[in-house]
Amino acid sequence: RTATVWKTLSPFWGEEYEVHLQPTFHSVSIYVMDEDALSRDDVIGKVCITRDMLAEHPKGYSGWVSLSEVDPDEEVQGEIHLRVEVLGSQGGRRLRCTVLEAR
């Protein structure tokens, strides 16, 4: 979970995470949350990084990705600027995902 960026509609994070990929993985999801001080945090939307997306971009991907809904009854607007790279070999692959900014 990243740090909360308060009082802006265009937050900047610059945080980086590495996830060890299982050989049979299908996707990795990034959830965007609205942190509330007095109630439960709301899920705004999510981005899925799929095995197919990584296969289409073997040298990595950098760009804006639109959020998709988590709850089908909620309208979702927004996107995340991501940089995604696969590191290592088939035996020990890691996914490096840098969350740059969101809007």
Side-chain angles (χ1 to χ4, degrees):
R1 187 169 183 152
T2 66
T4 300
V5 180
W6 295 98
K7 299 185 182 197
T8 179
L9 295 177
S10 298
F12 174 82
W13 284 273
E15 295 190 32
E16 186 174 289
Y17 295 91
E18 287 189 19
V19 178
H20 293 275
L21 297 177
Q22 298 296 322
T24 58
F25 96 100
H26 295 284
S27 66
V28 175
S29 296
I30 298 172
Y31 288 83
V32 177
M33 309 285 290
D34 175 20
E35 186 169 333
D36 296 318
L38 300 176
S39 64
R40 170 181 267 160
D41 297 346
D42 300 318
V43 177
I44 295 172
K46 71 177 182 176
V47 169
C48 287
I49 300 167
T50 64
R51 176 187 287 275
D52 292 339
M53 178 187 175
L54 296 176
E56 290 173 18
H57 304 282
K59 295 188 186 269
Y61 172 82
S62 181
W64 289 94
V65 181
S66 294
L67 296 177
S68 60
E69 71 276 346
V70 174
D71 180 350
D73 295 330
E74 296 288 327
E75 180 184 348
V76 175
Q77 294 180 352
E79 52 189 353
I80 301 177
H81 187 192
L82 295 176
R83 184 171 52 238
V84 179
E85 304 166 277
V86 177
L87 309 170
S89 63
Q90 289 291 341
R93 296 189 319 164
R94 297 182 321 255
L95 177 68
R96 178 185 293 161
C97 182
T98 306
V99 178
L100 299 169
E101 54 188 324
R103 57 184 177 204

XYZ file of all heavy atoms in Angstrom:
823
model
N 0.858 -1.173 0.000
C 0.000 0.000 0.000
C 0.904 1.237 0.000
O 1.810 1.339 0.803
C -0.892 -0.025 1.234
C -1.909 1.054 1.215
C -2.926 0.850 2.296
N -3.919 1.888 2.160
C -5.159 1.767 2.539
N -5.565 0.668 3.102
N -5.990 2.755 2.370
N 0.590 2.163 -0.899
C 1.388 3.381 -0.982
C 0.968 4.362 0.103
O -0.050 4.185 0.761
C 1.215 4.072 -2.348
O -0.135 4.526 -2.475
C 1.574 3.147 -3.492
N 1.746 5.416 0.246
C 1.372 6.506 1.140
C 0.165 7.233 0.547
O -0.062 7.203 -0.659
C 2.542 7.478 1.293
N -0.602 7.891 1.394
C -1.735 8.686 0.937
C -1.241 10.057 0.501
O -0.416 10.665 1.175
C -2.762 8.842 2.070
O -3.209 7.539 2.457
C -3.947 9.676 1.639
N -1.742 10.514 -0.634
C -1.447 11.861 -1.112
C -2.726 12.674 -0.905
O -3.742 12.390 -1.520
C -1.018 11.855 -2.596
C -0.716 13.259 -3.065
C 0.186 10.941 -2.796
N -2.672 13.657 -0.035
C -3.852 14.399 0.382
C -4.088 15.654 -0.452
O -3.148 16.271 -0.937
C -3.728 14.821 1.844
C -3.694 13.680 2.792
C -2.588 13.111 3.350
C -4.801 12.924 3.277
N -2.934 12.059 4.150
C -4.292 11.918 4.134
C -6.173 13.000 3.079
C -5.104 11.011 4.787
C -6.983 12.080 3.729
C -6.453 11.103 4.570
N -5.350 16.021 -0.576
C -5.816 17.311 -1.091
C -5.306 17.657 -2.483
O -4.873 18.776 -2.730
C -5.470 18.427 -0.103
C -6.140 18.212 1.244
C -5.899 19.343 2.180
C -6.563 18.998 3.503
N -6.768 20.085 4.371
N -5.374 16.694 -3.403
C -5.035 16.970 -4.788
C -5.801 16.015 -5.689
O -6.044 14.864 -5.325
C -3.521 16.848 -5.060
O -3.286 17.110 -6.450
C -2.983 15.482 -4.701
N -6.188 16.486 -6.859
C -6.841 15.628 -7.841
C -5.828 15.042 -8.818
O -6.186 14.267 -9.692
C -7.921 16.418 -8.594
C -9.091 16.870 -7.733
C -10.059 17.703 -8.556
C -9.794 15.687 -7.097
N -4.563 15.429 -8.694
C -3.485 14.898 -9.538
C -2.307 14.487 -8.655
O -1.254 15.119 -8.675
C -3.047 15.938 -10.567
O -4.101 16.255 -11.426
N -2.465 13.421 -7.867
C -1.395 13.035 -6.941
C -0.178 12.459 -7.657
O -0.285 11.904 -8.737
C -2.060 11.975 -6.067
C -3.157 11.432 -6.911
C -3.628 12.567 -7.766
N 0.997 12.627 -7.042
C 2.243 12.054 -7.529
C 2.791 11.142 -6.437
O 2.856 11.525 -5.278
C 3.265 13.162 -7.843
C 4.609 12.604 -8.220
C 4.845 12.165 -9.507
C 5.618 12.483 -7.277
C 6.069 11.625 -9.853
C 6.838 11.947 -7.607
C 7.068 11.521 -8.900
N 3.190 9.902 -6.809
C 3.747 8.969 -5.840
C 5.224 8.712 -6.091
O 6.043 8.913 -5.235
C 3.003 7.629 -5.863
C 1.687 7.676 -5.196
C 1.416 7.488 -3.880
C 0.442 7.931 -5.818
N 0.082 7.616 -3.635
C -0.548 7.892 -4.809
C 0.043 8.202 -7.105
C -1.888 8.097 -5.063
C -1.282 8.402 -7.358
C -2.233 8.346 -6.352
N 5.556 8.153 -7.248
C 6.937 7.781 -7.522
C 7.381 6.591 -6.689
O 8.574 6.389 -6.486
N 6.446 5.784 -6.200
C 6.787 4.604 -5.402
C 6.962 3.410 -6.324
O 6.320 3.309 -7.360
C 5.706 4.325 -4.365
C 5.601 5.434 -3.340
C 4.722 5.065 -2.172
O 4.678 3.881 -1.799
O 4.078 5.975 -1.641
N 7.825 2.496 -5.936
C 8.141 1.347 -6.775
C 8.026 0.073 -5.940
O 8.457 0.030 -4.793
C 9.574 1.504 -7.276
C 10.003 0.479 -8.265
C 11.387 0.807 -8.795
O 11.516 1.782 -9.557
O 12.328 0.092 -8.417
N 7.423 -0.956 -6.533
C 7.264 -2.245 -5.867
C 7.712 -3.342 -6.810
O 7.555 -3.224 -8.024
C 5.794 -2.483 -5.483
C 5.303 -1.512 -4.454
C 4.699 -0.321 -4.817
C 5.478 -1.780 -3.109
C 4.276 0.587 -3.875
C 5.052 -0.875 -2.156
C 4.449 0.300 -2.539
O 4.030 1.203 -1.615
N 8.263 -4.407 -6.248
C 8.588 -5.594 -7.037
C 7.790 -6.759 -6.482
O 7.733 -6.957 -5.273
C 10.080 -5.910 -6.984
C 10.907 -4.952 -7.793
C 12.361 -5.374 -7.932
O 12.660 -6.574 -7.716
O 13.178 -4.515 -8.252
N 7.155 -7.516 -7.396
C 6.351 -8.675 -7.036
C 6.958 -9.884 -7.723
O 7.238 -9.841 -8.926
C 4.881 -8.485 -7.509
C 4.050 -9.702 -7.176
C 4.282 -7.235 -6.909
N 7.177 -10.968 -6.966
C 7.672 -12.200 -7.574
C 6.512 -12.887 -8.282
O 5.454 -13.100 -7.686
C 8.288 -13.120 -6.512
C 9.536 -12.557 -5.925
N 10.765 -12.726 -6.517
C 9.737 -11.790 -4.836
C 11.675 -12.090 -5.803
N 11.073 -11.514 -4.779
N 6.699 -13.186 -9.571
C 5.637 -13.781 -10.379
C 5.720 -15.298 -10.336
O 6.772 -15.877 -10.579
C 5.761 -13.318 -11.836
C 5.601 -11.827 -12.088
C 5.827 -11.539 -13.568
C 4.229 -11.361 -11.658
N 4.599 -15.914 -10.042
C 4.515 -17.366 -10.143
C 4.450 -17.723 -11.622
O 3.880 -16.960 -12.417
C 3.258 -17.884 -9.427
C 3.234 -17.584 -7.951
C 4.358 -18.277 -7.208
O 4.715 -19.408 -7.508
N 4.941 -17.586 -6.250
N 4.995 -18.850 -12.047
C 4.958 -19.207 -13.474
C 3.541 -19.280 -14.043
O 3.341 -19.091 -15.231
C 5.636 -20.580 -13.519
C 6.473 -20.638 -12.287
C 5.763 -19.804 -11.256
N 2.550 -19.515 -13.194
C 1.171 -19.669 -13.668
C 0.311 -18.419 -13.430
O -0.906 -18.495 -13.566
C 0.502 -20.855 -12.948
O 0.556 -20.613 -11.535
C 1.206 -22.163 -13.272
N 0.937 -17.273 -13.124
C 0.135 -16.089 -12.813
C -0.688 -15.662 -14.038
O -0.312 -15.885 -15.179
C 1.029 -14.941 -12.323
C 1.420 -13.970 -13.400
C 0.762 -12.765 -13.524
C 2.425 -14.265 -14.293
C 1.112 -11.875 -14.515
C 2.787 -13.376 -15.282
C 2.126 -12.183 -15.400
N -1.840 -15.052 -13.778
C -2.708 -14.550 -14.846
C -2.725 -13.028 -14.886
O -2.724 -12.435 -15.948
C -4.131 -15.074 -14.683
C -4.227 -16.551 -14.832
N -4.172 -17.180 -16.046
C -4.335 -17.533 -13.908
C -4.256 -18.480 -15.872
N -4.355 -18.732 -14.587
N -2.771 -12.398 -13.695
C -2.797 -10.937 -13.658
C -2.378 -10.437 -12.277
O -2.417 -11.178 -11.295
C -4.185 -10.407 -14.007
O -5.121 -10.765 -13.007
N -1.989 -9.172 -12.246
C -1.698 -8.459 -11.003
C -2.598 -7.225 -11.025
O -2.645 -6.518 -12.034
C -0.210 -8.041 -10.926
C 0.054 -7.192 -9.701
C 0.689 -9.267 -10.936
N -3.316 -6.973 -9.936
C -4.235 -5.837 -9.880
C -3.712 -4.761 -8.951
O -3.175 -5.055 -7.886
C -5.618 -6.284 -9.399
O -6.195 -7.172 -10.324
N -3.895 -3.518 -9.366
C -3.571 -2.359 -8.548
C -4.887 -1.651 -8.256
O -5.609 -1.272 -9.184
C -2.606 -1.406 -9.283
C -1.293 -2.119 -9.564
C -2.395 -0.133 -8.481
C -0.357 -1.331 -10.450
N -5.213 -1.514 -6.978
C -6.453 -0.863 -6.570
C -6.174 0.585 -6.176
O -5.206 0.861 -5.469
C -7.091 -1.600 -5.391
C -7.677 -2.921 -5.803
C -6.888 -4.052 -5.917
C -9.032 -3.024 -6.107
C -7.415 -5.266 -6.312
C -9.576 -4.238 -6.495
C -8.756 -5.346 -6.599
O -9.289 -6.538 -6.995
N -7.030 1.481 -6.622
C -6.938 2.894 -6.265
C -8.010 3.156 -5.215
O -9.183 2.872 -5.437
C -7.152 3.797 -7.501
C -7.117 5.260 -7.100
C -6.106 3.497 -8.558
N -7.557 3.694 -4.078
C -8.449 3.888 -2.939
C -8.586 5.372 -2.614
O -7.669 6.153 -2.851
C -7.877 3.184 -1.696
C -7.484 1.739 -1.897
S -8.872 0.640 -1.995
C -9.449 0.674 -0.328
N -9.737 5.717 -2.048
C -9.988 7.045 -1.505
C -9.964 6.874 0.009
O -10.860 6.245 0.570
C -11.341 7.550 -1.985
C -11.732 8.875 -1.379
O -10.833 9.583 -0.892
O -12.924 9.200 -1.403
N -8.919 7.377 0.668
C -8.806 7.196 2.110
C -9.702 8.183 2.836
O -9.656 9.383 2.590
C -7.359 7.375 2.564
C -7.166 7.048 4.024
C -5.716 6.975 4.419
O -4.864 6.674 3.574
O -5.439 7.224 5.601
N -10.513 7.654 3.737
C -11.425 8.467 4.536
C -10.986 8.414 5.997
O -10.670 7.343 6.520
C -12.864 7.955 4.408
C -13.396 8.088 2.991
O -13.137 9.141 2.373
O -14.062 7.158 2.516
N -10.986 9.556 6.650
C -10.518 9.624 8.035
C -11.496 8.961 9.012
O -11.071 8.320 9.963
C -10.284 11.079 8.432
N -12.792 9.108 8.787
C -13.768 8.642 9.770
C -14.572 7.425 9.334
O -15.380 6.920 10.107
C -14.725 9.786 10.113
C -14.056 11.028 10.718
C -15.084 12.125 10.929
C -13.351 10.677 12.017
N -14.389 6.949 8.119
C -15.152 5.788 7.664
C -14.244 4.879 6.836
O -13.057 5.154 6.651
C -16.369 6.237 6.842
O -15.948 6.898 5.672
N -14.820 3.824 6.343
C -14.074 2.852 5.546
C -13.577 3.491 4.252
O -14.284 4.266 3.626
C -14.993 1.678 5.220
C -14.409 0.715 4.209
C -15.339 -0.412 3.893
N -14.996 -1.481 4.794
C -15.784 -2.487 5.110
N -16.983 -2.563 4.603
N -15.389 -3.430 5.925
N -12.344 3.135 3.839
C -11.779 3.639 2.591
C -12.593 3.102 1.413
O -13.036 1.956 1.421
C -10.328 3.197 2.441
C -9.437 3.757 3.540
O -9.879 4.683 4.241
O -8.305 3.267 3.695
N -12.792 3.944 0.395
C -13.560 3.561 -0.786
C -12.617 3.117 -1.897
O -11.582 3.742 -2.125
C -14.382 4.740 -1.295
C -15.367 5.252 -0.261
O -16.006 4.419 0.405
O -15.483 6.485 -0.122
N -12.997 2.069 -2.613
C -12.252 1.656 -3.800
C -12.765 2.488 -4.970
O -13.954 2.459 -5.285
C -12.440 0.151 -4.101
C -11.716 -0.225 -5.371
C -11.944 -0.688 -2.938
N -11.883 3.265 -5.590
C -12.267 4.095 -6.728
C -12.287 3.268 -8.003
O -13.167 3.398 -8.841
C -11.296 5.283 -6.870
C -11.415 6.196 -5.651
C -11.561 6.049 -8.154
C -10.365 7.280 -5.593
N -11.307 2.390 -8.165
C -11.208 1.551 -9.352
C -9.942 0.729 -9.291
O -9.223 0.745 -8.287
N -9.663 0.002 -10.368
C -8.461 -0.829 -10.387
C -7.888 -0.897 -11.792
O -8.557 -0.581 -12.778
C -8.749 -2.230 -9.877
C -9.593 -3.071 -10.829
C -9.763 -4.467 -10.293
C -10.573 -5.313 -11.278
N -10.680 -6.699 -10.839
N -6.640 -1.309 -11.857
C -5.940 -1.575 -13.108
C -5.404 -2.994 -13.016
O -4.815 -3.367 -11.994
C -4.773 -0.580 -13.318
C -3.887 -1.014 -14.452
C -5.301 0.812 -13.556
N -5.620 -3.789 -14.046
C -5.081 -5.149 -14.088
C -3.940 -5.211 -15.093
O -4.103 -4.794 -16.239
C -6.157 -6.149 -14.492
S -7.353 -6.461 -13.201
N -2.817 -5.727 -14.643
C -1.680 -5.990 -15.525
C -1.722 -7.481 -15.804
O -1.530 -8.295 -14.905
C -0.359 -5.588 -14.847
C -0.394 -4.101 -14.504
C 0.823 -5.937 -15.729
C 0.702 -3.667 -13.574
N -2.028 -7.838 -17.047
C -2.226 -9.237 -17.396
C -0.981 -9.830 -18.042
O -0.103 -9.113 -18.520
C -3.401 -9.397 -18.375
O -3.061 -8.731 -19.590
C -4.687 -8.820 -17.798
N -0.944 -11.146 -18.074
C 0.128 -11.869 -18.750
C 0.177 -11.463 -20.224
O 1.246 -11.258 -20.791
C -0.113 -13.370 -18.627
C 0.868 -14.230 -19.362
C 0.467 -15.698 -19.321
N 0.672 -16.300 -18.035
C 1.833 -16.818 -17.635
N 2.880 -16.773 -18.420
N 1.953 -17.372 -16.444
N -0.996 -11.282 -20.856
C -1.054 -10.887 -22.269
C -0.459 -9.498 -22.481
O 0.246 -9.248 -23.457
C -2.497 -10.913 -22.780
C -3.062 -12.321 -22.843
O -2.269 -13.289 -22.894
O -4.299 -12.451 -22.851
N -0.749 -8.559 -21.559
C -0.189 -7.210 -21.670
C 1.333 -7.253 -21.612
O 2.010 -6.574 -22.384
C -0.723 -6.324 -20.549
C -0.166 -4.915 -20.540
S -0.731 -4.055 -19.052
C 0.157 -2.529 -19.219
N 1.873 -8.057 -20.723
C 3.327 -8.171 -20.607
C 3.927 -8.825 -21.847
O 5.011 -8.445 -22.289
C 3.698 -8.950 -19.351
C 3.286 -8.284 -18.035
C 3.607 -9.197 -16.868
C 3.933 -6.934 -17.868
N 3.214 -9.784 -22.436
C 3.701 -10.438 -23.658
C 3.711 -9.457 -24.829
O 4.595 -9.513 -25.691
C 2.833 -11.655 -23.987
N 2.740 -8.534 -24.870
C 2.679 -7.527 -25.940
C 3.790 -6.481 -25.817
O 4.125 -5.825 -26.796
C 1.329 -6.804 -25.911
C 0.161 -7.660 -26.337
C -1.168 -6.949 -26.133
O -1.173 -5.705 -25.990
O -2.198 -7.638 -26.104
N 4.325 -6.324 -24.618
C 5.361 -5.313 -24.359
C 6.556 -5.977 -23.663
O 6.790 -5.751 -22.469
C 4.804 -4.189 -23.478
C 3.595 -3.521 -24.030
N 3.662 -2.583 -25.031
C 2.282 -3.677 -23.747
C 2.444 -2.173 -25.324
N 1.586 -2.829 -24.563
N 7.314 -6.813 -24.370
C 8.402 -7.567 -23.716
C 9.501 -6.686 -23.133
O 10.200 -7.106 -22.210
C 8.937 -8.466 -24.831
C 8.469 -7.851 -26.102
C 7.209 -7.108 -25.787
N 9.680 -5.474 -23.628
C 10.702 -4.573 -23.083
C 10.127 -3.660 -22.002
O 10.818 -2.775 -21.510
C 11.315 -3.738 -24.202
C 12.084 -4.577 -25.204
C 12.824 -3.695 -26.177
C 13.461 -4.527 -27.250
N 14.792 -4.935 -26.972
N 8.862 -3.864 -21.647
C 8.218 -3.055 -20.623
C 7.188 -2.124 -21.222
O 7.058 -2.002 -22.438
N 6.454 -1.475 -20.344
C 5.384 -0.573 -20.759
C 5.441 0.668 -19.868
O 5.672 0.580 -18.656
C 4.023 -1.251 -20.601
C 2.867 -0.319 -20.836
C 2.440 -0.041 -22.122
C 2.219 0.306 -19.773
C 1.390 0.839 -22.349
C 1.170 1.178 -19.987
C 0.765 1.439 -21.286
O -0.273 2.317 -21.501
N 5.241 1.824 -20.459
C 5.119 3.056 -19.699
C 4.013 3.880 -20.338
O 4.056 4.147 -21.537
C 6.433 3.841 -19.704
O 6.295 5.021 -18.941
N 3.011 4.253 -19.551
C 1.935 5.055 -20.090
C 0.751 5.106 -19.142
O 0.784 4.575 -18.041
N -0.295 5.765 -19.610
C -1.523 5.923 -18.834
C -2.437 4.727 -19.066
O -2.621 4.296 -20.197
C -2.232 7.208 -19.233
C -1.519 8.427 -18.757
C -0.602 9.165 -19.456
C -1.640 9.038 -17.486
N -0.153 10.208 -18.686
C -0.780 10.155 -17.464
C -2.401 8.763 -16.346
C -0.655 10.987 -16.359
C -2.284 9.597 -15.249
C -1.424 10.687 -15.253
N -3.006 4.200 -17.984
C -3.926 3.066 -18.043
C -5.216 3.483 -17.340
O -5.180 3.964 -16.201
C -3.331 1.814 -17.355
C -4.277 0.646 -17.451
C -1.965 1.470 -17.945
N -6.351 3.315 -18.025
C -7.644 3.694 -17.452
C -8.054 2.746 -16.341
O -7.814 1.535 -16.416
C -8.727 3.698 -18.530
O -8.466 4.701 -19.475
N -8.704 3.297 -15.323
C -9.243 2.480 -14.240
C -10.469 1.726 -14.731
O -11.233 2.235 -15.552
C -9.657 3.361 -13.058
C -8.564 4.138 -12.338
C -9.184 5.004 -11.247
C -7.541 3.206 -11.755
N -10.642 0.526 -14.218
C -11.873 -0.223 -14.480
C -12.633 -0.353 -13.166
O -12.064 -0.210 -12.081
C -11.567 -1.597 -15.084
O -10.772 -2.358 -14.209
N -13.917 -0.625 -13.259
C -14.742 -0.657 -12.057
C -14.498 -1.934 -11.264
O -14.172 -2.976 -11.813
C -16.229 -0.526 -12.399
C -16.844 -1.735 -13.062
C -16.635 -1.770 -14.565
O -16.252 -0.759 -15.147
O -16.849 -2.837 -15.150
N -14.665 -1.811 -9.955
C -14.638 -2.955 -9.053
C -16.079 -3.342 -8.744
O -16.429 -4.502 -8.718
C -13.858 -2.620 -7.762
C -13.944 -3.742 -6.761
C -12.401 -2.320 -8.102
N -16.919 -2.335 -8.542
C -18.347 -2.521 -8.294
C -19.099 -2.135 -9.567
O -19.014 -0.989 -10.015
C -18.778 -1.625 -7.136
C -20.252 -1.746 -6.787
O -21.021 -2.377 -7.554
O -20.652 -1.204 -5.743
N -19.828 -3.068 -10.190
C -20.503 -2.763 -11.454
C -21.557 -1.658 -11.339
O -21.966 -1.082 -12.340
C -21.143 -4.093 -11.873
C -21.062 -4.981 -10.704
C -20.035 -4.440 -9.762
N -21.995 -1.316 -10.121
C -22.994 -0.265 -9.938
C -22.369 1.124 -9.810
O -23.080 2.113 -9.688
C -23.844 -0.556 -8.693
C -24.678 -1.811 -8.855
O -25.051 -2.128 -10.008
O -24.937 -2.487 -7.847
N -21.048 1.207 -9.787
C -20.354 2.485 -9.623
C -19.710 2.922 -10.934
O -19.091 2.119 -11.626
C -19.264 2.376 -8.555
C -19.770 2.077 -7.163
C -20.488 3.252 -6.530
O -20.113 4.403 -6.807
O -21.427 3.004 -5.758
N -19.846 4.210 -11.265
C -19.168 4.765 -12.425
C -17.716 5.042 -12.048
O -17.435 5.518 -10.948
C -19.829 6.069 -12.859
C -19.175 6.696 -14.068
C -19.780 8.030 -14.431
O -20.839 8.385 -13.898
O -19.179 8.730 -15.264
N -16.806 4.736 -12.959
C -15.381 4.923 -12.688
C -14.800 5.895 -13.696
O -15.016 5.762 -14.897
C -14.623 3.575 -12.780
C -13.136 3.787 -12.616
C -15.135 2.609 -11.746
N -14.066 6.874 -13.186
C -13.322 7.791 -14.033
C -11.934 7.904 -13.433
O -11.785 7.950 -12.221
C -13.968 9.170 -14.069
C -15.311 9.195 -14.716
C -15.894 10.602 -14.721
O -15.360 11.516 -14.129
N -17.006 10.752 -15.415
N -10.940 7.939 -14.273
C -9.585 8.120 -13.791
C -8.623 7.197 -14.505
O -9.019 6.260 -15.197
N -7.343 7.504 -14.338
C -6.304 6.702 -14.938
C -5.026 6.822 -14.123
O -4.859 7.759 -13.342
C -6.074 7.086 -16.398
C -5.849 8.540 -16.645
C -5.852 8.906 -18.126
O -5.896 8.028 -18.988
O -5.779 10.114 -18.402
N -4.152 5.837 -14.295
C -2.879 5.781 -13.580
C -1.752 5.780 -14.603
O -1.826 5.086 -15.618
C -2.764 4.503 -12.732
C -3.874 4.411 -11.715
C -1.424 4.449 -12.021
C -3.827 3.130 -10.910
N -0.700 6.539 -14.325
C 0.504 6.526 -15.157
C 1.459 5.509 -14.537
O 1.948 5.691 -13.423
C 1.132 7.916 -15.180
C 2.267 8.034 -16.133
N 3.106 9.119 -16.133
C 2.721 7.217 -17.115
C 4.021 8.968 -17.075
N 3.799 7.815 -17.668
N 1.687 4.407 -15.256
C 2.500 3.298 -14.765
C 3.732 3.082 -15.632
O 3.716 3.348 -16.827
C 1.709 1.980 -14.819
C 0.492 1.827 -13.946
C -0.173 0.488 -14.247
C 0.859 1.918 -12.491
N 4.776 2.549 -14.999
C 5.907 1.985 -15.732
C 6.030 0.547 -15.239
O 6.138 0.312 -14.035
C 7.194 2.763 -15.474
C 8.350 2.239 -16.304
C 9.599 3.111 -16.255
N 10.013 3.389 -14.901
C 10.144 4.611 -14.380
N 9.870 5.679 -15.108
N 10.541 4.780 -13.142
N 5.961 -0.412 -16.165
C 5.950 -1.831 -15.830
C 7.100 -2.513 -16.556
O 7.274 -2.327 -17.763
C 4.603 -2.475 -16.255
C 4.585 -3.947 -15.944
C 3.437 -1.764 -15.593
N 7.887 -3.307 -15.808
C 8.996 -4.052 -16.396
C 9.018 -5.458 -15.810
O 8.734 -5.640 -14.627
C 10.333 -3.390 -16.057
C 10.440 -1.936 -16.468
C 11.618 -1.264 -15.805
O 11.464 -0.830 -14.644
O 12.682 -1.199 -16.445
N 9.383 -6.444 -16.621
C 9.594 -7.801 -16.140
C 11.098 -8.011 -16.053
O 11.824 -7.799 -17.025
C 8.951 -8.851 -17.072
C 9.252 -10.251 -16.576
C 7.450 -8.626 -17.150
N 11.555 -8.414 -14.882
C 12.978 -8.620 -14.632
C 13.253 -10.095 -14.397
O 12.411 -10.816 -13.884
C 13.413 -7.826 -13.400
C 13.039 -6.346 -13.381
C 13.318 -5.760 -12.011
C 13.790 -5.606 -14.454
N 14.441 -10.552 -14.748
C 14.842 -11.920 -14.480
C 14.482 -12.864 -15.609
O 13.998 -12.465 -16.664
N 14.707 -14.151 -15.354
C 14.449 -15.195 -16.352
C 13.165 -15.935 -15.997
O 12.530 -15.650 -14.989
C 15.624 -16.169 -16.381
O 15.729 -16.808 -15.119
N 12.806 -16.896 -16.830
C 11.570 -17.659 -16.603
C 11.557 -18.314 -15.220
O 10.520 -18.463 -14.613
C 11.402 -18.735 -17.691
C 11.065 -18.189 -19.053
C 9.672 -17.591 -19.118
O 8.818 -17.865 -18.286
N 9.447 -16.738 -20.097
N 12.720 -18.713 -14.723
C 12.778 -19.392 -13.429
C 12.546 -18.474 -12.243
O 12.089 -18.914 -11.199
N 12.866 -17.196 -12.364
C 12.727 -16.275 -11.242
C 12.323 -14.890 -11.694
O 13.053 -13.934 -11.454
N 11.195 -14.779 -12.354
C 10.759 -13.478 -12.872
C 10.141 -12.629 -11.772
O 9.472 -13.131 -10.881
C 9.759 -13.660 -14.004
C 10.359 -14.337 -15.196
C 9.478 -14.337 -16.392
N 8.078 -14.594 -16.103
C 7.096 -14.340 -16.949
N 7.355 -13.843 -18.135
N 5.856 -14.595 -16.639
N 10.385 -11.315 -11.897
C 9.786 -10.336 -10.989
C 9.138 -9.255 -11.838
O 9.624 -8.928 -12.911
C 10.849 -9.702 -10.098
C 11.549 -10.670 -9.192
C 12.555 -9.956 -8.298
N 13.277 -8.907 -8.961
C 14.536 -8.972 -9.368
N 15.219 -10.064 -9.191
N 15.125 -7.951 -9.951
N 8.068 -8.720 -11.333
C 7.373 -7.612 -11.988
C 7.709 -6.347 -11.215
O 7.441 -6.257 -10.021
C 5.867 -7.849 -11.983
C 5.007 -6.734 -12.575
C 5.241 -6.645 -14.078
C 3.544 -6.972 -12.275
N 8.312 -5.376 -11.889
C 8.568 -4.069 -11.272
C 7.530 -3.104 -11.826
O 7.448 -2.892 -13.025
C 9.956 -3.563 -11.581
C 10.193 -2.167 -10.962
C 11.515 -1.566 -11.345
N 12.584 -2.339 -10.752
C 13.842 -2.299 -11.172
N 14.179 -1.547 -12.204
N 14.758 -3.024 -10.578
N 6.754 -2.556 -10.936
C 5.687 -1.635 -11.331
C 5.891 -0.331 -10.569
O 5.879 -0.319 -9.349
C 4.332 -2.238 -11.014
S 2.974 -1.199 -11.514
N 6.082 0.746 -11.303
C 6.260 2.054 -10.709
C 4.998 2.870 -10.943
O 4.581 3.063 -12.085
C 7.462 2.778 -11.339
O 8.611 1.930 -11.236
C 7.746 4.089 -10.646
N 4.354 3.291 -9.858
C 3.170 4.132 -9.937
C 3.679 5.570 -9.928
O 4.185 6.051 -8.925
C 2.218 3.892 -8.754
C 1.011 4.805 -8.835
C 1.792 2.431 -8.712
N 3.555 6.244 -11.053
C 4.087 7.594 -11.180
C 3.093 8.651 -10.734
O 3.409 9.522 -9.932
C 4.534 7.844 -12.623
C 5.651 6.906 -13.096
C 5.851 7.034 -14.583
C 6.930 7.195 -12.342
N 1.897 8.605 -11.279
C 0.879 9.590 -10.923
C -0.489 9.071 -11.303
O -0.616 8.026 -11.920
C 1.157 10.935 -11.582
C 1.319 10.890 -13.078
C 1.776 12.217 -13.674
O 1.350 13.274 -13.179
O 2.540 12.194 -14.641
N -1.498 9.804 -10.912
C -2.876 9.412 -11.218
C -3.715 10.668 -11.424
O -3.342 11.754 -10.990
C -3.461 8.568 -10.097
N -4.828 10.467 -12.110
C -5.768 11.586 -12.280
C -7.163 11.034 -12.471
O -7.346 9.905 -12.810
C -5.366 12.489 -13.442
C -5.233 11.792 -14.780
C -4.734 12.752 -15.824
N -4.546 12.042 -17.094
C -3.738 12.428 -18.035
N -2.999 13.507 -17.881
N -3.630 11.772 -19.147
